[in-house]
Amino acid sequence: MANVKYISASRVYAKDTPPAVDALDLDINDGEFMVLVGPSGSGKTTALRMLAGLEPLDGGRVEIGGRDVTFVPPKDRDIAMVFQNYALYPQKTVAENMGFALKMQRVPRADRDRRVREAARLLDLDDQLLDRKPKQLSGGQRQRVAMGRAIVREPQVFLMDEPLSNLDAKLRVQTRSQIAELQRRLGVTTVYVTHDQVEAMTMGNRVAVLTGGHLQQCATPRELYDNPVNQFVAGFIGSPAMNLQAVPLAEGGARLAGGMLPLPAAVRTAALKARLSELVIGIRPEHLHLTNGSPDADGPQQPRATDGSWELSGEVMLVEELGADALLHVRLADGGDPVVARAEGRKPPAPGQRVTFRVSPDDVFAFHPETGARLAG
Amino acid sequence: MAVVEGVAAPAPKVRLRPRGVSRREQWQRRLPLLPALIYIIVVTQIPFVVTLWYSFQNYFFDIPGGAHFTGLSNYTTVFTNAAFRASLVRSVVMTASSVIVAMILGMAFALLLDRKFLGRGVVRTLIITPFLVMPAAAALVWAGPMLDPNFGLLNYLLTPFGVHHVAWLSTHALGSVIVVMIWQWTPFMTLIVLAGLQGQPADTLEAAKVDGAGALATFRELTLPHLRPYIELGILLGSIYLVNAFDAVRLMTNGGPGTATTNLPFYLYQQVNYAFDVGGAAAAGVVTVILTIIVATFALRMFARVFQFDEAAG
């Protein structure tokens, strides 16, 4: 077990192209479950492969347990990796697959068998499966064998490259919690790559959000959700995604849906300092609270002085029923992109109905329209 | 949480049958194949039937009176003839040694070619050329410019090492013929093994690296088992072709010196063209064909089993 450090680590695939990973600085604590998340092409897998030693570094360093491993071949890094397509050895049985690393370490056969069986038990793999070839297994079983191959090693670091992406939705959710639970039990430092922000949020102790080879933010899931540092993180974390809209600035606030959205003084100051005439505001779907009272059809929305929240209204275009709740696609009074709101599932408004939402000013994020940086609020 | 399985309604028991294809339509589909089929029958099956018929006849070109039935006496001669047995053994030695060495070399070349380097395309094409040269031309080039005792390239190249005027085709006849066969068949083996290597998933090799396997261990534990069906295919096809090798023997050594390089095809050729023994040659030919069929069937069956196993596993 060990901590992992990326020190301005870079990887350039081809000359004259932007780096796949650009000066990545990341500290992963001993025993931590760190999730690298980002859209495809964000450099998350490359970053993982750099740690595995499968991808050379074009700059910077990588350390495992305080040891500089930048030029150490993969086999000497004491890591175990779970690949996206599992990469099981097709000609070997399950037991041979799991015990391969130990065989390479010249662990005696009896010892090897014992450890393979222990790992199999840990993963609920039947003993009779141990003699099968990978192709005779189901997708879920193969995934567990791939996990088993990593566990048997008792390595310093687990690396997992989208290990759940080949499972069906139900199995994915189930396995997600099993992996997180297993990691907590084993206490091995884990770096986990995924493009699925739900996986990232539910599994990681901390989550590093990457895009375009740059680290955007590395924080706990809660912190990412509550305090995204920029528009990208805000839009990426959370499902359904945050509603982001460019709005013109006006005296004392921003103009939205025919009304005036009051902005905190700090945001106004920051916007003024940057000489912005408009900014991007973001509101999460779950922060648009449906009010029962419908306002006058064409009445202007006004902030309610009483509790500081304000209201905005629009027409429901589409309702997506999810069971527990429903997603409303609402066109606001002034047109523009529809916003998505989360409503209680039992009695959602029908399409065509006019609705009013109440929003607390604390739940409104403001971003710089060009840089995407969060305007302090 | 309990999982409620979806309850599927029992499927109605309707037998699915492929839509009927009329006899006429079936023939229309086969029609384009017919010319090829007729050609194959004319050039292979009819001669074989004729050979079979001759094998029961006493028929010498140089003895007047034509053919007459002798029963199994030609076959008795074949099985008691030491020359036939000797050429059978020679055929086996020739085929086995050239196929095995060609496979080992082919594997080595394939491993070297299975990486990116400047001019890979050119090198690959050059490697393949010996296979594209027709066997008779290859035999002539080797017999003359390469192995000639006085003017041969090989002797010239070996001069600095104290080798002078070796008459390769007289002193090392069998070896020389085998070398030419290896030279011709190594590219074929290279191609087949290279195809196998390129079919090996890259991520398992990466997994092996992470699992701590060095290059040698990776080859022994993963690459070789993966290549097994490809190696078997190469050996099978190579054997089927090389057991029929005639060009190199006829053009380089003419079966000699003595009978040093007389393999089965050349023995049959001699029986007809030097001994004029049509009946004996036919009987020997039939025995050869039967032996070849037995070996090929076993090889193919083993081969099919390997592939089926792979598919059952897949």
Side-chain angles (χ1 to χ4, degrees):
Chain A
M1 271 161 268
N3 61 331
V4 171
K5 259 187 185 165
Y6 287 92
I7 300 152
S8 49
S10 294
R11 172 75 179 124
V12 185
Y13 276 116
K15 265 186 192 170
D16 306 324
T17 58
V21 172
D22 196 354
L24 176 65
D25 282 302
L26 190 60
D27 274 11
I28 301 162
N29 301 325
D30 189 3
E32 188 175 23
F33 197 119
M34 170 67 81
V35 179
L36 306 183
V37 69
S40 56
S42 60
K44 55 190 190 302
T45 296
T46 307
L48 188 77
R49 291 170 58 86
M50 284 155 76
L51 177 55
L54 297 172
E55 212 65 71
L57 272 71
D58 295 308
R61 281 184 295 145
V62 174
E63 288 180 3
I64 298 175
R67 180 170 73 120
D68 185 350
V69 295
T70 311
F71 299 105
V72 175
K75 69 187 183 78
D76 300 324
R77 292 192 183 197
D78 198 12
I79 47 163
M81 186 156 170
V82 180
F83 289 79
Q84 183 169 8
N85 298 316
Y86 315 139
L88 299 176
Y89 309 127
Q91 288 87 8
K92 293 189 179 294
T93 64
V94 167
E96 286 168 343
N97 261 284
M98 288 170 65
F100 185 67
L102 299 180
K103 189 176 175 186
M104 291 299 108
Q105 292 169 9
R106 301 186 195 290
V107 173
R109 178 179 285 274
D111 201 14
R112 214 154 73 200
D113 282 353
R114 186 180 52 75
R115 282 166 71 176
V116 166
R117 268 168 212 291
E118 272 171 20
R121 235 190 329 273
L122 208 59
L123 291 161
D124 289 331
L125 280 168
D126 279 352
D127 272 4
Q128 60 197 18
L129 288 183
L130 291 179
D131 296 325
R132 299 235 186 115
K133 296 276 172 72
K135 283 179 178 172
Q136 293 164 290
L137 304 180
S138 70
Q141 289 167 334
R142 282 184 214 176
Q143 202 279 334
R144 274 181 284 163
V145 174
M147 288 291 299
R149 193 168 64 178
I151 292 172
V152 166
R153 291 276 308 275
E154 297 172 11
Q156 291 200 324
V157 186
F158 283 140
L159 310 182
M160 302 192 192
D161 185 7
E162 309 212 16
L164 303 183
S165 59
N166 286 340
L167 301 181
D168 64 62
K170 198 161 131 196
L171 199 54
R172 197 179 311 154
V173 172
Q174 211 177 334
T175 315
R176 194 168 77 195
S177 52
Q178 284 170 352
I179 291 180
E181 201 264 335
L182 191 67
Q183 193 273 341
R184 245 138 255 174
R185 188 143 40 118
L186 298 174
V188 176
T189 314
T190 302
V191 186
Y192 186 103
V193 163
T194 180
H195 64 269
D196 180 352
Q197 54 90 22
V198 178
E199 252 172 54
M201 296 288 280
T202 52
M203 299 178 84
N205 295 127
R206 281 193 301 157
V207 177
V209 183
L210 285 91
T211 187
H214 294 274
L215 177 64
Q216 303 296 314
Q217 187 174 5
C218 176
T220 61
R222 170 55 58 189
E223 178 73 7
L224 285 179
Y225 181 84
D226 286 342
N227 251 328
V229 295
N230 59 28
Q231 193 182 329
F232 178 81
V233 176
F236 194 78
I237 298 294
S239 172
M242 181 187 280
N243 296 297
L244 293 160
Q245 275 197 3
V247 295
L249 269 174
E251 195 65 38
R255 226 173 269 287
L256 177 65
M260 185 67 78
L261 160 60
L263 292 170
V267 172
R268 284 206 305 267
T269 325
L272 221 63
K273 224 162 91 183
R275 294 172 196 223
L276 296 176
S277 60
E278 60 166 29
L279 45 67
V280 174
I281 63 156
I283 306 169
R284 294 199 183 277
E286 48 273 36
H287 293 151
L288 290 166
H289 302 290
L290 208 59
T291 58
N292 289 329
S294 176
D296 301 333
D298 297 310
Q301 294 91 40
Q302 291 299 333
R304 274 193 192 167
T306 46
D307 61 347
S309 68
W310 53 282
E311 290 181 340
L312 77 172
S313 67
E315 186 189 340
V316 178
M317 311 289 297
L318 176 73
V319 180
E320 289 179 301
E321 300 263 17
L322 300 178
D325 44 23
L327 302 179
L328 311 178
H329 293 242
V330 178
R331 175 157 293 159
L332 294 180
D334 66 345
D337 291 336
V339 297
V340 178
R342 193 187 285 274
E344 222 234 302
R346 293 284 162 164
K347 277 181 190 153
Q353 199 176 327
R354 289 195 65 81
V355 290
T356 304
F357 297 108
R358 189 170 44 77
V359 183
S360 158
D362 296 341
D363 293 332
V364 177
F365 298 94
F367 303 101
H368 193 290
E370 274 121 45
T371 63
R374 173 97 178 268
L375 297 173
Chain B
M1 198 175 77
V3 177
V4 182
E5 292 292 334
V7 181
K13 287 203 167 149
V14 177
R15 263 238 189 124
L16 288 176
R17 208 176 291 164
R19 199 160 48 82
V21 179
S22 72
R23 195 166 277 262
R24 187 187 150 82
E25 212 173 317
Q26 284 180 349
W27 272 106
Q28 275 174 348
R29 289 180 187 181
R30 290 174 191 154
L31 207 61
L33 284 173
L34 213 57
L37 190 65
I38 291 170
Y39 177 78
I40 292 287
I41 289 171
V42 167
V43 301
T44 67
Q45 300 311 298
I46 292 176
F48 183 71
V49 172
V50 172
T51 307
L52 207 57
W53 183 77
Y54 271 126
S55 70
F56 295 104
Q57 305 287 319
N58 187 330
Y59 179 33
F60 287 82
F61 280 151
D62 54 345
I63 297 175
H68 58 91
F69 186 73
T70 57
L72 291 173
S73 80
N74 284 330
Y75 287 95
T76 332
T77 318
V78 166
F79 285 116
T80 51
N81 186 350
F84 177 81
R85 281 202 303 274
S87 45
L88 179 71
V89 170
R90 230 170 271 123
S91 261
V92 171
V93 169
M94 260 189 199
T95 308
S97 55
S98 40
V99 165
I100 288 168
V101 176
M103 179 49 83
I104 290 169
L105 287 177
M107 203 145 47
F109 280 123
L111 288 169
L112 288 174
L113 287 175
D114 186 32
R115 63 190 69 201
K116 282 189 179 133
F117 57 87
L118 192 70
R120 179 168 67 160
V122 177
V123 172
R124 274 189 192 172
T125 313
L126 287 177
I127 289 266
I128 291 158
T129 35
F131 192 59
L132 304 179
V133 176
M134 69 172 107
L140 288 174
V141 168
W142 274 90
M146 293 297 289
L147 297 180
D148 189 274
N150 296 311
F151 314 109
L153 186 63
L154 188 61
N155 279 333
Y156 172 75
L157 291 176
L158 291 178
T159 311
F161 304 100
V163 178
H164 299 287
H165 304 300
V166 179
W168 296 100
L169 294 179
S170 326
T171 50
H172 304 284
L174 189 61
S176 301
V177 173
I178 289 173
V179 163
V180 175
M181 289 175 175
I182 291 169
W183 178 79
Q184 279 228 290
W185 280 83
T186 298
F188 177 76
M189 305 302 185
T190 308
L191 282 184
I192 286 193
V193 174
L194 193 59
L197 283 175
Q198 289 178 346
Q200 193 173 23
D203 58 354
T204 56
L205 294 177
E206 287 183 341
K209 272 191 203 168
V210 174
D211 271 350
L216 210 64
T218 307
F219 180 75
R220 192 185 61 234
E221 297 276 343
L222 301 177
T223 308
L224 211 52
H226 167 80
L227 287 179
R228 204 180 114 176
Y230 297 89
I231 292 171
E232 281 167 345
L233 176 68
I235 287 181
L236 177 69
L237 292 181
S239 306
I240 289 173
Y241 276 92
L242 281 175
V243 92
N244 290 324
F246 176 77
D247 317 50
V249 174
R250 170 71 182 83
L251 292 167
M252 289 174 70
T253 60
N254 215 358
T259 57
T261 53
T262 301
N263 60 352
L264 272 180
F266 191 78
Y267 172 79
L268 299 182
Y269 166 82
Q270 274 183 322
Q271 283 301 105
V272 178
N273 291 288
Y274 298 129
F276 306 125
D277 180 5
V278 177
V286 170
V287 171
T288 307
V289 167
I290 290 169
L291 289 178
T292 314
I293 287 173
I294 290 171
V295 171
T297 308
F298 270 107
L300 278 174
R301 195 167 291 170
M302 172 194 76
F303 194 56
R305 208 183 50 221
V306 169
F307 266 114
Q308 256 168 16
F309 174 76
D310 223 42
E311 270 162 25

